[in-house]
Amino acid sequence: MKKITIAIDGFSSCGKSTMAKDLAREVGYIHIDSGAMYRAVTLYAMEHGMIEGSVIDVPRLEADMANIRITFELNEVTKLPETYLNGVNVESRIRTMEVSERVSLIAELGFVRQAMVALQQAMGEQKGIVMDGRDIGTTVFPNAELKIFVTASAEVRAERRYKELQEKGEHADYEQILQNVKQRDYIDRHREVSPLRRANDALLLDNTHLTREQQDAWLKEQFLLRVKE
Ligand code: CDP
């Protein structure tokens, strides 16, 4: 079977990472959550005093980009990749509301996108990769053999994120999450560099009414069609 590249893009909290993870595990591909990379840059900026409220010290962050090293390592217990920032595991710290509230502002910056896209393209050189994000099918891997654009209603997405945070025992406020989901959708769609949009050749998947099993089955079917071509 030939190895392909799979690009999964879509709105915030629509289950892209879950479906990407499930497929990668099933077919033995590498899964890269590109959002985790923007989240790690955001955490770095926060921890180095480069963000005050919603104001970013852009020149300082730009000057410091070369000092930000993002890698993924497999957790031997869960068998899932986790995000490392300069050698430190930041997987849970990048998922907090504080990071969610600032990440889209960081992801708007052209120099941040340039650095992340270069890293993502290097990770995908050997194919056999499932990457999820906002610009994977349009900018990172425009030649990906399989492109999916996922969407679901904002309320359903907020509900899923709410449950996810609750299950992890973290503070969760549904209204705050819904507002965050809508705000990120807006910023992601309207930014100048690589705005979120469906690539012309991406398949549209609205999973508002699909279970995880149903969407996994659908994705596997699309994958098998592509590798047999
Ligand atoms: O999982 P969730 O939908 O909450 O978001 P994520 O995939 O972790 O991404 C967090 C944020 O990073 C998004 O809201 C985007 O602003 C940004 N992002 C991006 O600009 N480009 C990507 N390829 C991935 C994420």
mmCIF file of all heavy atoms in Angstrom, residues 60-101:
data_model
loop_
_atom_site.group_PDB
_atom_site.id
_atom_site.type_symbol
_atom_site.label_atom_id
_atom_site.label_comp_id
_atom_site.label_asym_id
_atom_site.label_seq_id
_atom_site.Cartn_x
_atom_site.Cartn_y
_atom_site.Cartn_z
ATOM 1 N N ARG A 60 9.661 41.268 20.763
ATOM 2 C CA ARG A 60 10.394 40.347 21.650
ATOM 3 C C ARG A 60 10.154 38.904 21.260
ATOM 4 O O ARG A 60 11.066 38.080 21.263
ATOM 5 C CB ARG A 60 9.956 40.569 23.104
ATOM 6 C CG ARG A 60 11.076 41.214 23.931
ATOM 7 C CD ARG A 60 10.657 41.354 25.372
ATOM 8 N NE ARG A 60 10.858 40.138 26.147
ATOM 9 C CZ ARG A 60 10.123 39.793 27.212
ATOM 10 N NH1 ARG A 60 9.125 40.561 27.604
ATOM 11 N NH2 ARG A 60 10.381 38.691 27.865
ATOM 12 N N LEU A 61 8.908 38.592 20.928
ATOM 13 C CA LEU A 61 8.609 37.212 20.544
ATOM 14 C C LEU A 61 9.341 36.859 19.249
ATOM 15 O O LEU A 61 9.935 35.783 19.128
ATOM 16 C CB LEU A 61 7.087 37.019 20.377
ATOM 17 C CG LEU A 61 6.641 35.625 19.931
ATOM 18 C CD1 LEU A 61 7.071 34.546 20.933
ATOM 19 C CD2 LEU A 61 5.121 35.558 19.745
ATOM 20 N N GLU A 62 9.338 37.780 18.314
ATOM 21 C CA GLU A 62 10.001 37.513 17.032
ATOM 22 C C GLU A 62 11.493 37.275 17.237
ATOM 23 O O GLU A 62 12.074 36.347 16.673
ATOM 24 C CB GLU A 62 9.764 38.675 16.059
ATOM 25 C CG GLU A 62 10.297 38.345 14.666
ATOM 26 C CD GLU A 62 9.799 39.291 13.593
ATOM 27 O OE1 GLU A 62 9.225 40.351 13.930
ATOM 28 O OE2 GLU A 62 9.981 38.948 12.410
ATOM 29 N N ALA A 63 12.093 38.099 18.121
ATOM 30 C CA ALA A 63 13.531 37.960 18.380
ATOM 31 C C ALA A 63 13.841 36.640 19.074
ATOM 32 O O ALA A 63 14.942 36.108 18.968
ATOM 33 C CB ALA A 63 14.009 39.127 19.236
ATOM 34 N N ASP A 64 12.838 36.090 19.774
ATOM 35 C CA ASP A 64 13.043 34.878 20.567
ATOM 36 C C ASP A 64 12.635 33.588 19.851
ATOM 37 O O ASP A 64 12.809 32.500 20.403
ATOM 38 C CB ASP A 64 12.221 35.017 21.871
ATOM 39 C CG ASP A 64 13.090 34.803 23.094
ATOM 40 O OD1 ASP A 64 14.320 34.865 22.950
ATOM 41 O OD2 ASP A 64 12.535 34.535 24.173
ATOM 42 N N MET A 65 12.092 33.711 18.640
ATOM 43 C CA MET A 65 11.565 32.519 17.952
ATOM 44 C C MET A 65 12.588 31.386 17.839
ATOM 45 O O MET A 65 12.241 30.211 17.957
ATOM 46 C CB MET A 65 11.035 32.877 16.538
ATOM 47 C CG MET A 65 9.641 33.455 16.492
ATOM 48 S SD MET A 65 8.390 32.535 17.401
ATOM 49 C CE MET A 65 8.078 31.146 16.316
ATOM 50 N N ALA A 66 13.852 31.768 17.627
ATOM 51 C CA ALA A 66 14.892 30.745 17.450
ATOM 52 C C ALA A 66 15.125 29.947 18.733
ATOM 53 O O ALA A 66 15.706 28.859 18.705
ATOM 54 C CB ALA A 66 16.187 31.404 16.996
ATOM 55 N N ASN A 67 14.660 30.477 19.870
ATOM 56 C CA ASN A 67 14.848 29.773 21.153
ATOM 57 C C ASN A 67 13.664 28.874 21.502
ATOM 58 O O ASN A 67 13.618 28.308 22.593
ATOM 59 C CB ASN A 67 15.039 30.782 22.290
ATOM 60 C CG ASN A 67 16.252 31.645 22.072
ATOM 61 O OD1 ASN A 67 17.270 31.153 21.578
ATOM 62 N ND2 ASN A 67 16.156 32.921 22.404
ATOM 63 N N ILE A 68 12.683 28.810 20.612
ATOM 64 C CA ILE A 68 11.503 27.984 20.905
ATOM 65 C C ILE A 68 11.611 26.675 20.124
ATOM 66 O O ILE A 68 11.554 26.660 18.897
ATOM 67 C CB ILE A 68 10.204 28.734 20.518
ATOM 68 C CG1 ILE A 68 10.136 30.077 21.257
ATOM 69 C CG2 ILE A 68 8.972 27.876 20.810
ATOM 70 C CD1 ILE A 68 8.901 30.909 20.928
ATOM 71 N N ARG A 69 11.784 25.599 20.874
ATOM 72 C CA ARG A 69 11.935 24.294 20.208
ATOM 73 C C ARG A 69 10.733 23.416 20.576
ATOM 74 O O ARG A 69 10.500 23.142 21.748
ATOM 75 C CB ARG A 69 13.245 23.629 20.643
ATOM 76 C CG ARG A 69 13.714 22.526 19.695
ATOM 77 C CD ARG A 69 15.151 22.141 20.009
ATOM 78 N NE ARG A 69 15.343 21.944 21.452
ATOM 79 C CZ ARG A 69 15.101 20.803 22.086
ATOM 80 N NH1 ARG A 69 14.688 19.744 21.434
ATOM 81 N NH2 ARG A 69 15.301 20.707 23.396
ATOM 82 N N ILE A 70 9.985 23.023 19.565
ATOM 83 C CA ILE A 70 8.794 22.200 19.823
ATOM 84 C C ILE A 70 8.990 20.810 19.235
ATOM 85 O O ILE A 70 9.342 20.657 18.069
ATOM 86 C CB ILE A 70 7.549 22.869 19.206
ATOM 87 C CG1 ILE A 70 7.325 24.240 19.852
ATOM 88 C CG2 ILE A 70 6.310 21.998 19.386
ATOM 89 C CD1 ILE A 70 6.377 25.132 19.106
ATOM 90 N N THR A 71 8.775 19.814 20.080
ATOM 91 C CA THR A 71 8.924 18.433 19.613
ATOM 92 C C THR A 71 7.762 17.599 20.154
ATOM 93 O O THR A 71 7.026 18.044 21.034
ATOM 94 C CB THR A 71 10.260 17.824 20.132
ATOM 95 O OG1 THR A 71 10.361 18.098 21.536
ATOM 96 C CG2 THR A 71 11.458 18.397 19.406
ATOM 97 N N PHE A 72 7.612 16.396 19.607
ATOM 98 C CA PHE A 72 6.574 15.478 20.090
ATOM 99 C C PHE A 72 7.250 14.182 20.492
ATOM 100 O O PHE A 72 8.142 13.697 19.794
ATOM 101 C CB PHE A 72 5.538 15.207 18.991
ATOM 102 C CG PHE A 72 4.716 16.412 18.630
ATOM 103 C CD1 PHE A 72 5.069 17.220 17.552
ATOM 104 C CD2 PHE A 72 3.602 16.768 19.377
ATOM 105 C CE1 PHE A 72 4.322 18.348 17.227
ATOM 106 C CE2 PHE A 72 2.853 17.897 19.063
ATOM 107 C CZ PHE A 72 3.210 18.684 17.976
ATOM 108 N N GLU A 73 6.834 13.647 21.640
ATOM 109 C CA GLU A 73 7.377 12.355 22.068
ATOM 110 C C GLU A 73 6.234 11.441 22.461
ATOM 111 O O GLU A 73 5.233 11.899 23.028
ATOM 112 C CB GLU A 73 8.322 12.541 23.263
ATOM 113 C CG GLU A 73 9.692 13.012 22.838
ATOM 114 C CD GLU A 73 10.624 13.239 24.014
ATOM 115 O OE1 GLU A 73 10.542 12.462 24.993
ATOM 116 O OE2 GLU A 73 11.406 14.193 23.949
ATOM 117 N N LEU A 74 6.420 10.156 22.167
ATOM 118 C CA LEU A 74 5.367 9.197 22.460
ATOM 119 C C LEU A 74 5.301 8.900 23.958
ATOM 120 O O LEU A 74 6.311 8.612 24.584
ATOM 121 C CB LEU A 74 5.662 7.905 21.687
ATOM 122 C CG LEU A 74 4.447 7.047 21.358
ATOM 123 C CD1 LEU A 74 3.517 7.785 20.401
ATOM 124 C CD2 LEU A 74 4.872 5.723 20.772
ATOM 125 N N ASN A 75 4.103 8.988 24.527
ATOM 126 C CA ASN A 75 3.895 8.585 25.916
ATOM 127 C C ASN A 75 3.794 7.063 25.895
ATOM 128 O O ASN A 75 2.912 6.500 25.251
ATOM 129 C CB ASN A 75 2.607 9.229 26.443
ATOM 130 C CG ASN A 75 2.270 8.800 27.859
ATOM 131 O OD1 ASN A 75 2.430 7.635 28.226
ATOM 132 N ND2 ASN A 75 1.773 9.732 28.647
ATOM 133 N N GLU A 76 4.711 6.413 26.606
ATOM 134 C CA GLU A 76 4.781 4.948 26.549
ATOM 135 C C GLU A 76 3.534 4.260 27.102
ATOM 136 O O GLU A 76 3.212 3.140 26.720
ATOM 137 C CB GLU A 76 6.028 4.446 27.290
ATOM 138 C CG GLU A 76 7.337 4.749 26.582
ATOM 139 C CD GLU A 76 7.398 4.222 25.149
ATOM 140 O OE1 GLU A 76 6.763 3.187 24.854
ATOM 141 O OE2 GLU A 76 8.071 4.864 24.312
ATOM 142 N N VAL A 77 2.839 4.949 28.005
ATOM 143 C CA VAL A 77 1.650 4.350 28.610
ATOM 144 C C VAL A 77 0.432 4.496 27.697
ATOM 145 O O VAL A 77 -0.231 3.525 27.357
ATOM 146 C CB VAL A 77 1.360 4.975 29.998
ATOM 147 C CG1 VAL A 77 0.122 4.354 30.630
ATOM 148 C CG2 VAL A 77 2.570 4.827 30.910
ATOM 149 N N THR A 78 0.167 5.736 27.278
ATOM 150 C CA THR A 78 -1.037 5.955 26.459
ATOM 151 C C THR A 78 -0.778 5.669 24.981
ATOM 152 O O THR A 78 -1.715 5.571 24.198
ATOM 153 C CB THR A 78 -1.525 7.417 26.576
ATOM 154 O OG1 THR A 78 -0.484 8.271 26.081
ATOM 155 C CG2 THR A 78 -1.834 7.786 28.009
ATOM 156 N N LYS A 79 0.491 5.600 24.595
ATOM 157 C CA LYS A 79 0.887 5.401 23.195
ATOM 158 C C LYS A 79 0.478 6.594 22.321
ATOM 159 O O LYS A 79 0.300 6.463 21.125
ATOM 160 C CB LYS A 79 0.293 4.100 22.601
ATOM 161 C CG LYS A 79 0.690 2.841 23.344
ATOM 162 C CD LYS A 79 2.112 2.437 23.030
ATOM 163 C CE LYS A 79 2.557 1.270 23.884
ATOM 164 N NZ LYS A 79 3.970 1.299 24.253
ATOM 165 N N LEU A 80 0.311 7.753 22.970
ATOM 166 C CA LEU A 80 -0.057 8.948 22.217
ATOM 167 C C LEU A 80 1.088 9.957 22.270
ATOM 168 O O LEU A 80 1.798 10.040 23.269
ATOM 169 C CB LEU A 80 -1.316 9.592 22.816
ATOM 170 C CG LEU A 80 -2.620 8.813 22.659
ATOM 171 C CD1 LEU A 80 -3.731 9.489 23.443
ATOM 172 C CD2 LEU A 80 -3.004 8.680 21.187
ATOM 173 N N PRO A 81 1.278 10.718 21.186
ATOM 174 C CA PRO A 81 2.348 11.710 21.208
ATOM 175 C C PRO A 81 2.002 12.880 22.131
ATOM 176 O O PRO A 81 0.846 13.280 22.223
ATOM 177 C CB PRO A 81 2.442 12.181 19.752
ATOM 178 C CG PRO A 81 1.186 11.779 19.100
ATOM 179 C CD PRO A 81 0.539 10.708 19.918
ATOM 180 N N GLU A 82 2.991 13.391 22.841
ATOM 181 C CA GLU A 82 2.774 14.541 23.704
ATOM 182 C C GLU A 82 3.715 15.674 23.303
ATOM 183 O O GLU A 82 4.784 15.432 22.745
ATOM 184 C CB GLU A 82 2.983 14.134 25.177
ATOM 185 C CG GLU A 82 1.925 13.122 25.585
ATOM 186 C CD GLU A 82 1.885 12.806 27.064
ATOM 187 O OE1 GLU A 82 2.905 12.981 27.755
ATOM 188 O OE2 GLU A 82 0.796 12.381 27.516
ATOM 189 N N THR A 83 3.279 16.893 23.604
ATOM 190 C CA THR A 83 4.004 18.079 23.154
ATOM 191 C C THR A 83 5.088 18.485 24.154
ATOM 192 O O THR A 83 4.827 18.564 25.355
ATOM 193 C CB THR A 83 3.001 19.250 22.998
ATOM 194 O OG1 THR A 83 1.844 18.753 22.339
ATOM 195 C CG2 THR A 83 3.601 20.391 22.207
ATOM 196 N N TYR A 84 6.271 18.779 23.635
ATOM 197 C CA TYR A 84 7.392 19.231 24.462
ATOM 198 C C TYR A 84 7.834 20.611 23.997
ATOM 199 O O TYR A 84 7.951 20.851 22.795
ATOM 200 C CB TYR A 84 8.579 18.244 24.370
ATOM 201 C CG TYR A 84 8.368 16.999 25.199
ATOM 202 C CD1 TYR A 84 7.419 16.051 24.824
ATOM 203 C CD2 TYR A 84 9.100 16.780 26.364
ATOM 204 C CE1 TYR A 84 7.194 14.920 25.600
ATOM 205 C CE2 TYR A 84 8.887 15.641 27.144
ATOM 206 C CZ TYR A 84 7.930 14.724 26.755
ATOM 207 O OH TYR A 84 7.712 13.610 27.523
ATOM 208 N N LEU A 85 8.070 21.479 24.986
ATOM 209 C CA LEU A 85 8.570 22.816 24.694
ATOM 210 C C LEU A 85 9.955 22.917 25.324
ATOM 211 O O LEU A 85 10.091 22.788 26.541
ATOM 212 C CB LEU A 85 7.605 23.851 25.301
ATOM 213 C CG LEU A 85 8.019 25.326 25.258
ATOM 214 C CD1 LEU A 85 8.213 25.818 23.834
ATOM 215 C CD2 LEU A 85 6.974 26.173 25.972
ATOM 216 N N ASN A 86 10.953 23.073 24.489
ATOM 217 C CA ASN A 86 12.348 23.101 24.937
ATOM 218 C C ASN A 86 12.644 21.953 25.906
ATOM 219 O O ASN A 86 13.210 22.140 26.988
ATOM 220 C CB ASN A 86 12.680 24.458 25.579
ATOM 221 C CG ASN A 86 12.682 25.556 24.527
ATOM 222 O OD1 ASN A 86 12.905 25.295 23.345
ATOM 223 N ND2 ASN A 86 12.413 26.776 24.933
ATOM 224 N N GLY A 87 12.210 20.757 25.513
ATOM 225 C CA GLY A 87 12.525 19.554 26.269
ATOM 226 C C GLY A 87 11.621 19.260 27.452
ATOM 227 O O GLY A 87 11.784 18.245 28.121
ATOM 228 N N VAL A 88 10.661 20.139 27.727
ATOM 229 C CA VAL A 88 9.765 19.939 28.872
ATOM 230 C C VAL A 88 8.366 19.565 28.382
ATOM 231 O O VAL A 88 7.843 20.194 27.452
ATOM 232 C CB VAL A 88 9.677 21.232 29.737
ATOM 233 C CG1 VAL A 88 8.717 21.054 30.900
ATOM 234 C CG2 VAL A 88 11.070 21.629 30.229
ATOM 235 N N ASN A 89 7.771 18.547 28.994
ATOM 236 C CA ASN A 89 6.431 18.121 28.604
ATOM 237 C C ASN A 89 5.402 19.186 29.007
ATOM 238 O O ASN A 89 5.239 19.490 30.183
ATOM 239 C CB ASN A 89 6.109 16.785 29.299
ATOM 240 C CG ASN A 89 4.798 16.197 28.807
ATOM 241 O OD1 ASN A 89 3.859 16.928 28.473
ATOM 242 N ND2 ASN A 89 4.730 14.878 28.736
ATOM 243 N N VAL A 90 4.716 19.743 27.991
ATOM 244 C CA VAL A 90 3.742 20.808 28.278
ATOM 245 C C VAL A 90 2.334 20.397 27.841
ATOM 246 O O VAL A 90 1.449 21.226 27.694
ATOM 247 C CB VAL A 90 4.132 22.141 27.577
ATOM 248 C CG1 VAL A 90 5.367 22.758 28.218
ATOM 249 C CG2 VAL A 90 4.340 21.950 26.070
ATOM 250 N N GLU A 91 2.156 19.096 27.591
ATOM 251 C CA GLU A 91 0.895 18.605 27.031
ATOM 252 C C GLU A 91 -0.345 19.109 27.773
ATOM 253 O O GLU A 91 -1.304 19.539 27.149
ATOM 254 C CB GLU A 91 0.916 17.068 26.990
ATOM 255 C CG GLU A 91 -0.261 16.442 26.266
ATOM 256 C CD GLU A 91 -0.458 16.930 24.824
ATOM 257 O OE1 GLU A 91 0.534 17.181 24.116
ATOM 258 O OE2 GLU A 91 -1.618 17.060 24.412
ATOM 259 N N SER A 92 -0.330 19.065 29.115
ATOM 260 C CA SER A 92 -1.556 19.513 29.780
ATOM 261 C C SER A 92 -1.600 21.030 29.925
ATOM 262 O O SER A 92 -2.659 21.638 29.846
ATOM 263 C CB SER A 92 -1.754 18.797 31.117
ATOM 264 O OG SER A 92 -0.814 19.261 32.027
ATOM 265 N N ARG A 93 -0.435 21.658 30.084
ATOM 266 C CA ARG A 93 -0.434 23.113 30.268
ATOM 267 C C ARG A 93 -0.883 23.889 29.034
ATOM 268 O O ARG A 93 -1.355 25.011 29.128
ATOM 269 C CB ARG A 93 0.955 23.582 30.711
ATOM 270 C CG ARG A 93 1.099 23.520 32.229
ATOM 271 C CD ARG A 93 2.314 24.262 32.699
ATOM 272 N NE ARG A 93 3.519 23.552 32.297
ATOM 273 C CZ ARG A 93 4.673 24.151 32.061
ATOM 274 N NH1 ARG A 93 4.783 25.450 32.159
ATOM 275 N NH2 ARG A 93 5.726 23.429 31.722
ATOM 276 N N ILE A 94 -0.719 23.298 27.841
ATOM 277 C CA ILE A 94 -1.125 24.027 26.622
ATOM 278 C C ILE A 94 -2.630 23.927 26.361
ATOM 279 O O ILE A 94 -3.150 24.559 25.457
ATOM 280 C CB ILE A 94 -0.362 23.548 25.355
ATOM 281 C CG1 ILE A 94 -0.604 22.057 25.087
ATOM 282 C CG2 ILE A 94 1.115 23.874 25.462
ATOM 283 C CD1 ILE A 94 -0.087 21.585 23.733
ATOM 284 N N ARG A 95 -3.343 23.093 27.156
ATOM 285 C CA ARG A 95 -4.782 22.894 26.913
ATOM 286 C C ARG A 95 -5.667 23.738 27.835
ATOM 287 O O ARG A 95 -6.878 23.574 27.834
ATOM 288 C CB ARG A 95 -5.162 21.417 27.104
ATOM 289 C CG ARG A 95 -4.270 20.438 26.375
ATOM 290 C CD ARG A 95 -4.584 20.333 24.921
ATOM 291 N NE ARG A 95 -3.571 19.582 24.189
ATOM 292 C CZ ARG A 95 -3.439 19.575 22.886
ATOM 293 N NH1 ARG A 95 -4.267 20.287 22.138
ATOM 294 N NH2 ARG A 95 -2.492 18.886 22.296
ATOM 295 N N THR A 96 -5.084 24.594 28.643
ATOM 296 C CA THR A 96 -5.896 25.381 29.587
ATOM 297 C C THR A 96 -6.645 26.514 28.871
ATOM 298 O O THR A 96 -6.296 26.889 27.749
ATOM 299 C CB THR A 96 -4.994 26.027 30.663
ATOM 300 O OG1 THR A 96 -4.062 26.886 29.984
ATOM 301 C CG2 THR A 96 -4.228 24.985 31.460
ATOM 302 N N MET A 97 -7.667 27.042 29.542
ATOM 303 C CA MET A 97 -8.431 28.158 28.995
ATOM 304 C C MET A 97 -7.542 29.383 28.763
ATOM 305 O O MET A 97 -7.731 30.121 27.815
ATOM 306 C CB MET A 97 -9.555 28.541 29.976
ATOM 307 C CG MET A 97 -10.953 28.079 29.663
ATOM 308 S SD MET A 97 -11.428 27.791 27.981
ATOM 309 C CE MET A 97 -12.241 29.303 27.574
ATOM 310 N N GLU A 98 -6.564 29.590 29.669
ATOM 311 C CA GLU A 98 -5.680 30.761 29.535
ATOM 312 C C GLU A 98 -4.958 30.731 28.189
ATOM 313 O O GLU A 98 -4.808 31.745 27.529
ATOM 314 C CB GLU A 98 -4.620 30.790 30.661
ATOM 315 C CG GLU A 98 -5.137 31.148 32.040
ATOM 316 C CD GLU A 98 -6.001 30.055 32.658
ATOM 317 O OE1 GLU A 98 -5.747 28.855 32.385
ATOM 318 O OE2 GLU A 98 -6.934 30.393 33.408
ATOM 319 N N VAL A 99 -4.518 29.543 27.801
ATOM 320 C CA VAL A 99 -3.837 29.415 26.508
ATOM 321 C C VAL A 99 -4.867 29.531 25.376
ATOM 322 O O VAL A 99 -4.650 30.259 24.400
ATOM 323 C CB VAL A 99 -3.038 28.084 26.429
ATOM 324 C CG1 VAL A 99 -2.497 27.862 25.024
ATOM 325 C CG2 VAL A 99 -1.899 28.089 27.440
ATOM 326 N N SER A 100 -6.014 28.854 25.522
ATOM 327 C CA SER A 100 -7.046 28.902 24.467
ATOM 328 C C SER A 100 -7.462 30.335 24.159
ATOM 329 O O SER A 100 -7.735 30.686 23.024
ATOM 330 C CB SER A 100 -8.289 28.115 24.885
ATOM 331 O OG SER A 100 -7.979 26.749 25.005
ATOM 332 N N GLU A 101 -7.499 31.147 25.207
ATOM 333 C CA GLU A 101 -7.963 32.526 25.007
ATOM 334 C C GLU A 101 -6.953 33.389 24.263
ATOM 335 O O GLU A 101 -7.311 34.429 23.737
ATOM 336 C CB GLU A 101 -8.296 33.162 26.367
ATOM 337 C CG GLU A 101 -9.709 32.789 26.789
ATOM 338 C CD GLU A 101 -10.029 33.134 28.229
ATOM 339 O OE1 GLU A 101 -9.136 33.676 28.926
ATOM 340 O OE2 GLU A 101 -11.146 32.838 28.655
#
